[in-house]
Every structure is written in C-alpha cells, then in structure tokens.
Amino acid sequence: MTTTRPRKNLLLLSVAALALLSTTPLLTYAQDAATADIVEDDVTDLGDVIGDAMGDITEGLDEEVVDLDDAAAASAEESSESEEAATVDDATATADETTTTAESTAEATAESKTDEQTQPQAEEEEEATPPPAQTGPFIDLFGEVLLSLEMVDETHAQVHQHYTNEVLSGKKVVGLYFSADWCGPCRQFTPDLVNFYDKMNARRGKKDEFEIIWVSRCRDVDSFGQYFTHMKWLALPPQEAMGQRGQYLGEKFKVKSIPTLVLLDEIGNVITLDGRNKIPMDKAGVGFPWRSPMSVLVSTLFPRSFRLLVKSQIAGVLEKAKAVLGGAARGGAAAR
C-alpha cells in the first residue's frame, strides 16, 4: 500500500505536469487569439479611420479641385473682361486720338484759311490805306517819295521807298547830287563824296544830320540801278529824276555841268551851289556846310518855324507877282 501511494502520487504529479504543460500552449494560443482579435479590431478600426480620413481628404481635394476650376474659370472670365475692357479702352483712346487729330486738323485748316483770308484783307487794307498828307518845302522840291538801296549780298540789292518828310526829318543839311554813270568826273568824285558823307554823319553831336539826294542823269533805269549801288544816300525815283522834276531842279539850282552838289538847309534854302569844289578843299569838313556869315546869323537868331513861315510868305508873294507879270505880258501881246 505504501508503494502504491507514492506511485499514485507520482502519477498525479505527472498528470498535473502534463496538464500544466498542455495548458501553457492553450494560454499562449488564447493570448494570441485575443491579441489577433484586438489587432483585427484595431486594423478594422484603423482601416475605418483611414477610410474616413481618405474620404475627407478626397472630398477636400474635390472641393479644392472644384474651387480651383471655379477660380480658373473666374480668372479666365476676368481676363476676358479685362481684355474686352482694354480693347474698349484702346478703341476709345484711338477714337479720342482720331477725334483730337481731326479737331487739330480742322483747327489748323481753319487757321490756315483764316490766315489766307486775312493776308489778302491785310494787303487790301494796306493798298487801301492812303499815303499821309505831306506838305513843306521838300515836298515841293522832291515829291512825296524817295528811294534807298540796301545790298542783300554782293550781287543782289533791294530798293525801299520812304515818305519824303519822314526820311528827311531831323536833317540839318540836305545835299542835291547831280551825277550820272556815263560821266567820268562823276565816277571819280562819288567815292570821295561817300567818304565825306560818312565822316560828317559820324561827328559827335551832329550824327546823321547830313543827307544827300541823288538826282540821276543816267540814260535808263538799268544804269540807274547799277550806279546807285555805289552810293549810301537817297535818290529821286528814276522816272522823276529823268523827267520833268529833274529838269526843274536843274534849272532852279542853275546846274550847268555834272557832277554838281547843292547844299540846302532844313527849310530848303540854299547854303551853297558849289559843294563839288568845297569838299576837295576841306576834306575834313571843318567849315561844313560852308554857310555865309549872314546865313549863320539868321539861323542863330530865328528858329526854324519862323524862317519857314517867312519863306512860305515870300514864296506866296513871288507867285502872285509872277502871275500878275505873266497876265500883263499876255495882255500886251494880245493888244499887239
């Protein structure tokens, strides 16, 4: 019995050990199974989470894609509208420029037409404007117009017209120069007279008080023009100088030969008839204009206005006397 009990106990221990050994795998399996279920659950949950997240992300992307498409479409529309607006602006600007150009052209055309219309009107007004009324001793002698010549270059000259009283205003001495291009002594004396003219008009306190008027004895207008280029003073118009006025002046001042230089004072009274010979003897012009002592005394004591009045009165008396004498002569001739 004693032997059986230990064996029985040993058997029980063996069975217990086997049971224990067999239980360990089962526990391990059970633990593994539990762990697998948990993992599956976790995996399932993680998949659901990932699926949900992917769905959200996809929806977000879809929304973003939709938003980007909308933005692109809106941007295209805005670009199209901007282009259309720019095109409209360009068209408007072009139209404005065209309008401005048309207006400028119209204004320029109108101004041009106005100028074209104004110029003939101005010329007509100038032509219609009558010359100023001129009276005085120099008008009686020289007429209303005198000429001057301006050299444009070495081969061209321009002739200007001047009103007699205006161009002789302020002159204290007026010379009458009878000369012609065909006269040898005239061509020799003219350069000396030019130098003397410049010298007298450059004197201190007596600047530009001396003027000369050329009374041409040339045979034609071309010769007149050529010879006038050698002078710096005024001239009678050639038709006047070579006509009745020139003849009248020659007779009045007793011109017998040329060249002749007659000097007059500011009211037309004779100072000397022999200026042609005075200049070579007084090239410096110390005694110029070579007045007589009586003439100097009269010009000093009496002003120009008084001397001019006396001269006009004397001229009137002489004209009346000539008319009476002429009438008496004609009556006597008729009686015979």
Side-chain angles (χ1 to χ4, degrees):
M1 293 293 294
T2 308
T3 305
T4 304
R5 186 177 297 273
R7 289 182 178 179
K8 191 177 184 176
N9 290 334
L10 182 59
L11 182 60
L12 290 172
L13 289 172
S14 298
V15 171
L18 289 172
L20 180 60
L21 292 172
S22 60
T23 303
T24 301
L26 290 174
L27 290 173
T28 302
Y29 177 78
Q31 290 177 353
D32 295 336
T35 303
D37 291 337
I38 293 170
V39 170
E40 287 180 1
D41 292 337
D42 293 338
V43 170
T44 301
D45 295 337
L46 183 59
D48 294 338
V49 171
I50 293 172
D52 294 338
M54 291 299 294
D56 295 336
I57 292 170
T58 303
E59 291 177 359
L61 290 174
D62 291 338
E63 292 177 357
E64 291 180 358
V65 170
V66 171
D67 293 339
L68 290 174
D69 292 339
D70 293 340
S75 175
E77 292 178 359
E78 291 178 357
S79 176
S80 177
E81 292 177 357
S82 299
E83 292 178 356
E84 292 178 357
T87 303
V88 172
D89 292 338
D90 293 339
T92 304
T94 304
D96 292 339
E97 291 178 358
T98 304
T99 304
T100 303
T101 304
E103 291 176 354
S104 301
T105 305
E107 290 177 359
T109 304
E111 290 178 357
S112 177
K113 290 182 178 179
T114 302
D115 293 339
E116 291 177 356
Q117 293 175 356
T118 303
Q119 288 179 354
Q121 291 177 358
E123 292 177 357
E124 291 177 359
E125 289 178 358
E126 290 180 358
E127 292 177 357
T129 302
Q134 301 183 84
T135 58
F138 290 140
I139 302 301
D140 298 335
L141 289 173
F142 312 132
E144 296 185 350
V145 175
L146 296 173
L147 304 180
S148 67
L149 185 139
E150 177 187 6
M151 294 300 299
V152 178
D153 53 37
E154 294 181 356
T155 57
H156 297 84
Q158 187 173 4
V159 177
H160 302 281
Q161 291 188 352
H162 308 273
Y163 293 123
T164 300
N165 281 345
E166 291 182 1
V167 75
L168 296 181
S169 177
K171 304 301 180 181
K172 302 298 183 182
V173 180
V174 176
L176 283 179
Y177 183 44
F178 297 84
S179 177
D181 65 308
W182 49 264
C183 168
C186 296
R187 291 196 302 270
Q188 292 176 359
F189 178 66
T190 297
D192 294 337
L193 183 57
V194 169
N195 293 332
F196 187 81
Y197 174 84
D198 290 338
K199 187 181 298 183
M200 293 301 99
N201 281 323
R203 292 182 300 173
R204 182 178 299 177
K206 296 183 179 180
K207 185 177 179 60
D208 297 330
E209 291 184 353
F210 178 36
E211 189 56 80
I212 296 175
I213 298 171
W214 176 39
V215 183
S216 172
R217 288 291 186 261
C218 297
R219 295 188 174 97
D220 53 58
V221 175
D222 291 338
S223 301
F224 170 91
Q226 290 291 331
Y227 195 35
F228 198 14
T229 60
H230 298 278
M231 305 178 188
K232 294 186 176 182
W233 42 76
L234 303 172
L236 282 179
Q239 65 274 15
E240 295 272 347
M242 292 181 283
Q244 293 182 356
R245 190 178 297 277
Q247 184 179 355
Y248 161 73
L249 293 173
E251 293 174 357
K252 180 177 179 63
F253 298 109
K254 302 177 177 61
V255 177
K256 303 299 182 182
S257 61
I258 56 174
T260 293
L261 179 64
V262 177
L263 299 181
L264 309 177
D265 64 11
E266 67 269 31
I267 62 172
N269 290 329
V270 176
I271 298 175
T272 180
L273 299 175
D274 197 24
R276 161 71 178 87
N277 295 318
K278 297 284 187 184
I279 289 176
M281 293 186 295
D282 185 13
K283 292 183 178 180
V286 175
F288 179 80
W290 309 290
R291 297 178 189 269
S292 66
M294 181 59 68
S295 175
V296 173
L297 179 62
V298 171
S299 61
T300 303
L301 294 177
F302 302 102
R304 178 181 181 275
S305 58
F306 178 78
R307 287 182 283 128
L308 187 58
L309 177 62
V310 171
K311 180 179 179 179
S312 63
Q313 294 293 332
I314 293 174
V317 171
L318 291 177
E319 289 294 330
K320 290 180 181 180
K322 287 181 181 179
V324 170
L325 292 175
R330 286 193 297 271
R336 290 176 186 177

